[in-house]
Amino acid sequence: MDARDVIKVGMSAERTLIVPPERTVGHFVKHMPMVYATPMMILEMEMTSGDAINRYLAPGWVTVGTEVDIRHLAATPVGATVRTTAKVIAVERRVIRFEVEAFDDKRRIGEGRHARGLVNVEAFTKRLGAG
């Protein structure tokens, strides 16, 4: 599968999340503040990127995260609503590149770039020896 045949620059998606305690840095690291953890924000950015393109992929194909270049700009407390956006900015044969952002009720809390690689699930599973 060639991503350029089905994925177009400008495709986008948006997700919202109410920050739960289990997605805070304090949940993972004792004595740290109960604020939205950077890895959890990146997870939402990756999932939002997938949401922008998943429905266009041929059966048996998925994308996996391959690159992140993210800045976490502001702390967000438990209970706050976070809105994450992703927009396709470039499409290569097997790589889709995104601009990603995250916002809370007051400001932008994260921004950056993310890339996803196109993978055939069956071939990938065989390579791992799990098929």
Side-chain angles (χ1 to χ4, degrees):
M1 178 178 185
D2 187 327
R4 297 170 295 189
D5 295 336
V6 294
I7 307 300
K8 305 300 177 201
V9 169
M11 288 179 170
S12 63
E14 179 176 305
R15 293 170 65 100
T16 58
L17 165 79
I18 297 174
V19 178
E22 50 282 343
R23 290 214 180 178
T24 64
V25 67
H27 174 78
F28 296 104
V29 182
K30 190 175 179 180
H31 304 299
M32 291 294 288
M34 296 296 285
V35 294
Y36 196 34
T38 302
M40 298 294 101
M41 181 183 72
I42 292 169
L43 172 64
E44 277 301 299
M45 290 171 162
E46 288 201 37
M47 292 174 69
T48 306
S49 297
D51 288 350
I53 61 171
N54 286 342
R55 67 183 170 271
Y56 302 102
L57 303 179
W61 290 83
V62 297
T63 60
V64 296
T66 59
E67 296 177 34
V68 290
D69 181 9
I70 304 297
R71 293 183 342 139
H72 197 163
L73 305 171
T76 304
V78 171
T81 299
V82 172
R83 179 175 57 90
T84 306
T85 63
K87 181 172 72 170
V88 175
I89 58 170
V91 184
E92 301 162 20
R93 184 174 160 283
R94 291 279 178 111
V95 178
I96 302 101
R97 300 187 185 281
F98 299 84
E99 177 179 271
V100 292
E101 294 180 294
F103 303 86
D104 66 14
D105 299 328
K106 301 175 187 168
R107 64 197 170 258
R108 181 175 15 194
I109 63 165
E111 64 185 13
R113 303 274 172 114
H114 172 52
R116 299 191 67 74
L118 189 60
V119 172
N120 178 278
V121 175
E122 184 178 343
F124 184 77
T125 303
K126 283 182 182 174
R127 258 195 327 273
L128 293 177

